[in-house]
Amino acid sequence: MAFKLISTEGEQTFELRSGGTLVVGRALTSDIPVLDPTISRRHAEVAWDDSGVHVRDLGSSNGTFLNGVKIEAAKLSPGDVITFGKVPFRLKEIATDPRAHVIDTPTSFGAPLPAGATIIRKLPRRDSRQPFAAMRTSGAARVVEETAPIPVDDKSEQKLALLLEVSKGLTSAVDVDALLEKIVGEVYKILDVDRVAILLADERGDLQPKIARDKRGLTAGRMVPQSIVRKVVEEKVAILSDNTLEDQRFGGQSIVMQRVRSAMCGPLIGSEDRVLGVLYVDNLTTAHRFSEDDLEFLIAFAGIAGVAIENSQFADRIRRETLARSNFERFFAPGLAARIASSPDAVKLGGDKRQVAVLFSDIRGFTALSETMTPDEIARLLTEYFTEMVECVFRNGGTLDKFIGDAVMAQWGAPIGEPDDADRAMRAAIEMMTALGELNAHWRTAGKPELAIGIGLNFGEVFAGNIGSERRLEFTVIGDTVNTASRLCSAADGGQILLSDDFRRALREPPTLVEHPAIELKGKTQRIPLYRVATP
């Protein structure tokens, strides 16, 4: 049999070692540290030998009590309550035979490690059998998929079967956050630990805390000792330290401050041997908590978790890019949308100055026309019209900036520009006039009203970027170049395409152009020269 001291509130558990003596005290270096003001630094000793479990007070200020009676020394029986100062513990007898009906620590396999032991385990090379290959031993090399019952005393096969079930569960998680929660839950089922934490690498490769839980499900603060994590990541090893306070390798201040007694940490390895993060577990109450088999288990589990996390990250990225692309394709040509969606800066606030070609088109006399139509008729007419106009923009690689009532605003050059942006905008304008002619012929046959549009084109510098708030962004271009294009559109008669001299000079392959009388524009001190596309 074996024995444990368990606090009556269940928050602390200390396993007694046969033939050993443990010191109870307030000091962090005590074998049984109890951080309570009624506990002396060296309060009492608890020993377990062939004659039973014994307790001896070490001259504490607030005394030691057995079942409410103050004692100097006494022998304990299972079920007794021993109180140090004002902190009570109950002695519990636990089964150690794996065939017994009740096994108090079902996931702690193998013999205890010697005091102060540290294992630094190089990870096995990943192959088609990973992550289960780390768990196979010469005595347990049977195929996991066997249908025969697994013997209760065959611990390696039990662990393999459990890992198989865990891998099935982890692959069902739909996103990274849900997966991390699931991983933490599975760790508590598998290992006897007080806390679990997962750190994941960001885009720069720096590890960031993603989740940290204690056994009550509460969020733990900064809990992962950096001295352990650095070695795990840099050397791609798994570490077991069964008495961290005595371990010279990892005696960092964070370990002492957090009262870490036993700890294990393994890297989460992805494809191409890349470290995705680390899985860390610890025990705050008992040294020598973990065995070498526990470390092997952690390595195998971390292998499964690493694959699941990488797959989930890939799926998340695909979902984000798909969503971004579907949103961008509402305003950008499909090819351009794909390039923008793959850019990490696509949805950030801010922007820059760019040279762009701007197109405005507007329906002439639409207000008067709409007064003769029902709302449904107007909606159907505009839907047909806008569908054709937007297709002309996209077919020529433009960006649909916005609809303004019955007007269309489009631009070429932002966020990604091409040398022939002005020519693309010009082709789109001409195609819009041609497409409207075909629509009018169709509407005329159907007895519907016909439309006429004017188009204005300008070229110049604008501010281009995502404008708005973090909750709602709108990619747009603003500036005098935009305002001028809008006013040219207003000055154009039905069927006319007017363009500024700046736009004309930006064209590489201009169509036949005719000079148009210069006009005065609001905010301009001089009339600006204009051109119009010659009608065939």
Side-chain angles (χ1 to χ4, degrees):
M1 302 300 292
F3 296 93
K4 279 186 176 183
L5 282 177
I6 303 175
S7 65
T8 56
E9 295 181 356
E11 295 180 355
Q12 289 184 292
T13 301
F14 300 99
E15 191 171 308
L16 306 183
R17 299 196 302 273
S18 178
T21 299
L22 302 179
V23 174
V24 180
R26 194 174 70 248
L28 290 174
T29 53
S30 301
D31 297 305
I32 301 179
V34 184
L35 301 185
D36 187 274
T38 65
I39 304 294
S40 300
R41 290 185 62 80
R42 287 177 54 84
H43 194 100
E45 287 181 346
V46 179
W48 173 27
D49 55 28
D50 292 340
S51 62
V53 179
H54 303 266
V55 64
R56 183 171 67 90
D57 189 82
L58 297 178
S60 65
S61 300
N62 294 296
T64 301
F65 303 82
L66 176 58
N67 298 323
V69 179
K70 188 173 183 179
I71 53 99
E72 296 296 328
K75 180 180 177 180
L76 306 181
S77 299
D80 282 345
V81 175
I82 184 74
T83 303
F84 306 105
K86 294 185 178 181
V87 183
F89 287 83
R90 186 179 300 278
L91 182 67
K92 182 179 180 181
E93 187 177 33
I94 59 175
T96 57
D97 186 343
R99 289 166 293 187
H101 292 291
V102 179
I103 300 176
D104 198 69
T105 55
T107 55
S108 182
F109 300 95
L113 296 166
T118 298
I119 299 175
I120 299 178
R121 179 67 47 78
K122 284 282 187 182
L123 299 188
R125 292 185 63 183
R126 176 170 294 183
D127 58 31
S128 59
R129 295 171 295 173
Q130 287 292 354
F132 299 105
M135 296 300 303
R136 295 191 178 275
T137 62
S138 58
R142 293 197 297 272
V143 180
V144 176
E145 291 80 3
E146 287 183 7
T147 57
I150 298 173
V152 175
D153 58 351
D154 193 339
K155 297 172 184 176
S156 294
E157 288 297 334
Q158 284 180 315
K159 290 184 284 184
L160 282 170
L162 180 56
L163 285 174
L164 183 59
E165 290 303 312
V166 167
S167 68
K168 293 177 181 177
L170 294 185
T171 54
S172 65
V174 294
D175 60 51
V176 174
D177 291 336
L179 176 62
L180 297 183
E181 292 282 357
K182 201 170 187 67
I183 289 173
V184 170
E186 295 293 345
V187 169
Y188 277 116
K189 295 177 185 178
I190 296 170
L191 297 170
D192 184 12
V193 299
D194 288 333
R195 302 187 301 179
V196 181
I198 298 174
L199 285 71
L200 295 182
D202 59 18
E203 293 178 356
R204 297 176 299 179
D206 299 329
L207 290 182
Q208 303 296 334
K210 290 299 180 181
I211 190 168
R213 296 279 189 275
D214 62 20
K215 62 173 56 178
R216 293 171 296 177
L218 301 178
T219 300
R222 187 180 179 88
M223 57 170 279
V224 182
Q226 293 302 304
S227 54
I228 292 178
V229 169
R230 277 195 300 271
K231 189 170 188 66
V232 167
V233 173
E234 291 171 2
E235 300 184 20
K236 296 180 183 177
V237 296
I239 290 176
L240 184 158
S241 181
D242 83 324
N243 195 340
T244 54
L245 295 177
E246 297 178 11
D247 197 328
Q248 297 297 319
R249 300 171 187 264
F250 312 116
Q253 185 178 4
S254 61
I255 291 177
V256 177
M257 294 296 292
Q258 295 183 66
R259 302 180 293 134
V260 176
R261 305 304 303 277
S262 306
M264 292 193 296
C265 187
L268 300 166
I269 304 294
S271 59
E272 300 178 355
D273 208 30
R274 183 169 58 95
V275 177
L276 304 176
V278 299
L279 172 62
Y280 170 87
V281 301
D282 65 20
N283 192 289
L284 304 179
T285 56
T286 308
H288 325 300
R289 168 63 67 189
F290 304 124
S291 70
E292 186 171 356
D293 276 356
D294 290 329
L295 181 62
E296 295 284 3
F297 206 111
L298 183 79
I299 291 171
F301 185 88
I304 295 172
V307 172
I309 288 172
E310 185 172 54
N311 289 341
S312 187
Q313 288 176 336
F314 283 153
D316 269 1
R317 189 173 71 188
I318 291 171
R319 280 194 295 270
R320 288 196 304 270
E321 290 187 3
T322 300
L323 178 61
R325 182 168 176 172
S326 65
N327 287 334
F328 286 136
E329 284 182 348
R330 297 167 56 202
F331 303 102
F332 300 98
L336 182 59
R339 294 169 64 185
I340 298 169
S342 61
S343 170
D345 298 323
V347 291
K348 289 184 178 179
L349 285 170
D352 55 6
K353 292 182 178 181
R354 303 189 67 88
Q355 293 286 323
V356 303
V358 183
L359 177 152
F360 273 86
S361 72
D362 194 7
I363 299 175
R364 294 294 169 257
F366 183 74
T367 301
L369 178 65
S370 63
E371 292 176 353
T372 65
M373 303 171 66
T374 67
D376 287 345
E377 290 172 337
I378 295 173
R380 283 194 295 271
L381 186 74
L382 287 179
T383 297
E384 288 186 70
Y385 165 72
F386 283 138
T387 299
E388 292 298 326
M389 299 302 104
V390 171
E391 184 59 32
C392 294
V393 172
F394 285 174
R395 190 161 51 240
N396 289 282
T399 295
L400 174 65
D401 192 289
K402 61 175 67 72
F403 296 119
I404 309 171
D406 59 302
V408 175
M409 174 184 169
Q411 56 89 7
W412 285 254
I416 300 173
E418 301 291 347
D420 60 343
D421 282 332
D423 293 272
R424 292 167 179 262
M426 176 57 76
R427 287 196 296 271
I430 294 172
E431 289 181 16
M432 290 167 79
M433 287 296 186
T434 301
L436 181 60
E438 295 173 355
L439 278 175
N440 280 332
H442 169 70
W443 289 333
R444 190 182 310 117
T445 302
K448 296 180 180 179
E450 300 179 33
L451 301 180
I453 62 172
I455 296 177
L457 295 165
N458 193 22
F459 188 90
E461 186 177 79
V462 299
F463 175 84
N466 287 295
I467 307 299
S469 68
E470 292 286 0
R471 292 179 62 87
R472 187 181 188 279
L473 298 176
E474 180 182 72
F475 188 88
T476 190
V477 293
I478 56 176
D480 182 64
T481 298
V482 178
N483 297 337
T484 299
S486 176
R487 288 165 186 154
L488 293 182
C489 176
S490 299
D493 294 332
Q496 278 190 340
I497 301 174
L498 294 184
L499 54 143
S500 67
D501 189 51
D502 289 332
F503 188 92
R504 180 189 65 82
R505 285 186 280 110
L507 289 169
R508 293 185 170 191
E509 298 178 359
T512 303
L513 301 176
V514 178
E515 285 193 37
H516 187 83
I519 61 173
E520 289 185 1
L521 294 180
K522 184 178 180 181
K524 302 288 185 181
T525 57
Q526 297 180 347
R527 290 174 174 263
I528 64 169
L530 297 180
Y531 297 84
R532 63 177 175 83
V533 177
T535 55

